[in-house]
Amino acid sequence: MTDRCRAAGLCLAALLGACSPVIRVEAPDKPIEINLNVRVEQDVKVRVDRELQKVVGKNPAAP
């Protein structure tokens, strides 16, 4: 009976080992694109606001 249990255990281990999932880690074909347009637009708005404050400070009577 012990030989039969061992044989069953070996068969079960072989079956479970054969069903193991395969995990692959691969680099993408295309380069990763990070869009930074939002930051650039905000930076431009801050610069324009600062320049506008300087102009208004020099000419407070301007409309």
Side-chain angles (χ1 to χ4, degrees):
M1 181 100 169
T2 58
D3 290 334
R4 196 175 232 182
C5 289
R6 285 184 187 168
L10 287 174
C11 287
L12 183 62
L15 286 174
L16 289 176
C19 294
S20 63
V22 176
I23 299 173
R24 295 181 186 165
V25 179
E26 297 177 358
D29 295 337
K30 298 178 182 178
I32 298 172
E33 180 180 334
I34 301 173
N35 191 350
L36 297 176
N37 288 339
V38 174
R39 184 180 181 281
V40 171
E41 289 175 5
Q42 290 175 349
D43 189 35
V44 169
K45 288 179 184 176
V46 169
R47 287 183 185 169
V48 170
D49 285 343
R50 288 183 185 161
E51 290 176 9
L52 186 61
Q53 287 175 355
K54 289 179 186 177
V55 170
V56 171
K58 292 178 183 176
N59 285 333

